[in-house]
Amino acid sequence: MRALLPGKPQARLQAVCTTQWEGLRLIVYISGNGIMILSGPHDLIQTIYLEECSLLVAITIDETTGKIATASPSKIYVYRPYGKEEGLLKWSLLCVIPRQGQEPEHLALSWGTDEELLIGSNSLRLFQTATQKSEIWRRRLPKPIKLAIFSHDASFIASTGGYDRLVKLWRRQSSGADDTRFDFTYLPHPTAVTAIHWQRHSSHEHNSDHVLYTICGDQKIRVWAAMNPHGVQGLQLWAEIDMQASIQPRQLDSTSQSRDRFAFIIDRHDFVRSIPASGGRVHNAKAQKQHALEHLAEVARTSPELCIVIDRHGHMSAWGLENVGCKARKPTDIFNIAHIDNFNIAFSGSGDLVGSTVQLLPFCREQSEVPLILLAHHFDGRIEWLECKFEEIFDPSPQQERISRRILWTGHEGSIKKIVRSVSGKAVASRTDDNDAVIWRQGHGSSEIGLSLTSLLSSPEHIHRSWLLQDGNFVVNLHHHSVSLWDARSSPAVHVRTLPFNMQGHLVCLVELAEPSPDSKTRHVAAITTRGEGIVWSLSVPSSPHEESQAQGPSAPNLEQSCTFDLDVKDNLAFMLPVDAAGSASWTSSSLDTFAQDIAISYSSEGRLRTWTAALDADKPAVKWLVTSIVETGISNPSLASASSIRKAALVDASRTGLTIWDTRSGQLEHDVQYDDLDVIGDMDWSLTPDKQSLLAIGFPHKVVILAQMRYDYLSVGPAWAPIRHISIKDSTPHPIGDSVWLGSGNLLIGAGNQLFVYDKAVDPTNPMISDLAVPVHKQGKMNLFDLVTYLNGPLPLFHPQFLSQCILAGKLLQVQRIILGLHKALKYFTDGDELDSFVSMSPEEVMGDFQKPSVARRELVTLNANTFDTEDAPEYGEVAPLLNEKLTKVSIPQLSSREQIHLADMIECVSTVDKHRRSMDDNATRYLLFFRQHMIRKSQVPANRAGITFREIAWAYHSGSQDILVDLVSRQFQGRMLWEHAKESGIFMWMSDINALRAQFEVIARNEYTKTDEKNPIDCSLYYLALKKKNILLGLWRMAAWNREQSSTQRLLSNNFQEARWKTAALKNAYALLGKRRFEYAAAFFLLAGNLKDAVNICLHQMRDLQLAVAVARVYEGDDGLVLRRLLEDKVLPQAALEGNRWLATWAFWMLGRRDMAVRALISPVYTLVDTAETPKMQARSYLANDPALVVLYRQLRAKSLQTLKGALKVSPKDEWDFVIQNARLYDRMGCDLLALDLVRNWEFLKQPEQVPSEEETVPDPRKLLRRRSSLVVDDLTSPKSPKGMKAGMGKPPPQKVFEEPEANSLLDSFGF
């Protein structure tokens, strides 16, 4: 926590108190109906709110027991401490003492010995609170008490009334629960007594001396002591100090003179206890300070009481009192220590008598460089924590500053309802339910005072919305039927003007409009209702010091109505609010287009998000609005929304427990989280780092969770947002959070109750949230919140495993090898602590080089190593990989975390494996093999990771021409013993295209399933052999299973002819019986035995939840042209892909169906736009994960592969293709792969659009006219399309069969690309 604003202290004599209890300094004060308990400038131990009362009038704390007593107008509450030994110090209610009827509101409280509590009002009452409350003494008084204080040993009570010149001194005659008696005498004063102070003694000091200090209206301090303890008068006047005479005018100028005097007493034991820390430095001090330290040591030698007198202009006079109470006082017993200047306390400049009053409470700290602490309780509603060094305040030599301000405690009396920030975040306004607002401004430099109060504003009308102009110099308040402008350059704020208005609908938004020029002297704000109607007001505010000094006439602040408008929104406008400026200096715009900065966001009850921008008409008073984006979230009745100026939006569902984060530019979902039912979201606030990375603070009732934007990670499916900080205020206050807001510096301001908490942007490296983010250890100690988010989102080094993976997907394997060789060279002489070049001496052009051209590839194969290494004996990549991995186990790469370094080593090993087979595989096989190998390595490291590869890798292998090599390599990966779990893990039966090879591999699976156990159970392989229609082999295996009790019955059943109806029925009965026993795989086998492929596939899909097994069984049983497979793909796979937004699954399914045009379109368009589904697409269909940038690589590869794919590509509009490419460039950028984004937009080739897009029956135009760079072969596959059911495009009757015609020679040459 950087700063704390616990609340506005009451303007009462007993509103603040402090004591040392069991080695802990405690400061308690009352604010509104709350008790603030602190132990330091930023250390809030506890806040106690008394809900049954609205105001507290006095508080005191017992230095012996730590008990706290506080009073409301009707009751006294006593609290006791607990949990100190466990390190969880808190206070709980012990008892409640009712006040007497007809008592004045004010009363006095004081703790005595043995847990006695003195209560003074119309009477003096003494209560014993040790076990339970009991009144042990009472005395009626002729007039109400203003002050009543026990002496240190409770032998005396000093009391006085309001404007009373007599101090009544009560002396205890006897003590005990049944017999407590006091008698009293008077201590007369010439004028009204204003303050009383008893001399305090340390807890281990047994001293019976009693010394009383009184201050009265004649501005004299009187010292009363027991010079004759046996006399009738308990205390006698020992000395007087004239405060007026103590400080004489230094200058004749009347402005530097003041007759007001303030004084405080430093007790002898406090002063002496704090001196060793100062006096011990005398011999080590520099020459200019040695004199001051020697003077201080001389003063401390006699252990005097200190009396400090100051005035409003920083003049101070310090007096020492020795031998207080001796009968024969010597003239030297009272001596002057110093007269100094520049003892500056920030006194109130108001003329109000109460507001200008200051109460000073000093205390000293042992063994501290700054021993004297002064709490200045200003009755205008603030407490200053001032720190002083005795050698500086007693040094007569001139000094600029003798005291330092550590912190200022102030704030509200009522609960904070809303906090509004200025556009720059340098000023905020906090507002309560009582329409009282405080304008705060952020501190500068390294000062620990985080926020300074600049103005107070009290509105007679309800404040509906507020807006700050010029960093809090002016405030616009929107009321129910009017708008008002306030000048907040002074305190209190000055009301400038109020304008009434009349609009239909509920007011939902107050927003500042963008000005054409940042130097404009006029500002415009707009109010909008739920009906979309609005009013614009123009504000003329001074912007220069010259105008501020001459704020009359044209340059005076003014408010005028400018124009009205209508947003013309067709659906209902549930809510509209301004976007969080999040660090923007100002809003300026000279154009109205989608590139203009968003200024507002709205949402409907159907969950439709709109972002808005607006531009003022330069020629006439009018405003034009433009919708910059529309996002269909599918969230009904959202309860909260918030948006940032860089087009990020957060939306909360109706239950206030579900949060989604959207990129409004692309309309994609980035984060979806559901919190516990008790974690109700109440507030959301955005912040931006200097390099435009996002932070989102989520406010719950008693905590705030900060989410940070992360890089997209499509390979590990990492989150796009992650929690990086958890702030809980539950230990500090029981009041729920009212609002929170980011300051411009990155600090977070939280308002709860009447308190404000300022949390800095420091990062705790021990926080488990930080350690889970894989941040390099050597960077954790140097990072703040902004640095951390920048690291998590900045461009990746070339050797980062994610960048290497994306390069491989983009077909840049040779660049990857060059990067790895460059890293090996850079690490050759690298030691921990050295800097490492993120580009490993490569230029961006080398990374973006087009190595896909055959001639370039051959040339690069020769020059790869020679360019990377300067020596003639350049090592091969296969030699470098093990050496580099060994090096990575010994050094820490600065740009990588330990987890990322492990993944880099895995990547290097995978690339080495691929390199061995590079010449015998195509690019798609290379992509598949690399990621399959990477998956196997990570599975060996984390055995629980058995999820298998994704349909992205399956798609690469499916479109590979080297499947026979891949099958062999995958089989070898499992030592030739591939089981179904291995086949599912590799996806082999989804990507094999040769049906004969597929069946052969399926038979291998069947054999391995049979032999996987020592007992060789035929049940394990039944499904596989029956799918292959090899019942006889299965029957032979059952003949050898003599140990199985089901052998005889199964063998007899399998011996029958299942072409007959009776045996089909028998097989079906057995299948249903096995379903009842939940033996699903065996049940599917009996369905196949009965010839019922459809039910067998359904069991695999629904009961076993194994899509791959269902597809494999269908393909093996009836081939790729079977009806069951087609229905499976049309009715199950494609709707599933549409619901999940899985484009990889959709393009595979379309290609399997022979609809290659749709397969291409599925890569570029959301699947739910291509396939009709009965259900609404899931939220994940709109996720950023559905927009994998590798899709653009496959799209570029497939669109020119055949006439069908070209036909599908032609149905994609040029704008959609443009948006697709730009969107993928943004995805690369968000992933930290900026060079790949640049490479994509620089080298992308758009299709040349024909004059007319072909219909279903028409042929595709000449491929030579569509692409500049064509592949050597474009396949004509338009003769036999398979139209899937329920597609939104391409539906219709099957094309008529064509009569064979002898082709011409030219057409044959065209088909082969000549």
Side-chain angles (χ1 to χ4, degrees), residues 35-38 44-48 89-91 731-732:
I35 304 171
M36 316 302 160
I37 308 173
L38 304 103
L44 179 64
I45 300 177
Q46 188 181 4
T47 304
I48 303 173
L89 178 61
K90 298 294 176 185
W91 275 258
D731 293 337
S732 301

Side-chain angles (χ1 to χ4, degrees), residues 53 59 107 116 276 312 348 500 544 562 801 808 856 867 891 897 996 1042 1045 1056 1209 1260 1311:
C53 68
I59 193 167
L107 86 167
E116 294 176 342
R312 292 185 180 274
S348 173
S544 65
S562 176
I808 292 169
V856 177
N867 289 343
V891 299
S897 67
N996 294 322
R1045 63 181 182 179
N1056 298 296
V1260 177
S1311 297

Side-chain angles (χ1 to χ4, degrees), residues 258-298:
S258 172
R259 293 193 59 80
D260 294 336
R261 299 290 185 267
F262 305 91
F264 58 92
I265 309 297
I266 301 176
D267 294 317
R268 176 174 55 85
H269 80 279
D270 272 349
F271 176 57
V272 173
R273 189 173 53 183
S274 64
I275 287 306
S278 300
R281 301 194 305 270
V282 173
H283 300 291
N284 300 325
K286 296 181 181 179
Q288 58 267 30
K289 287 191 175 182
Q290 188 163 359
H291 174 72
L293 290 171
E294 290 175 350
H295 177 56
L296 175 62
E298 182 64 24

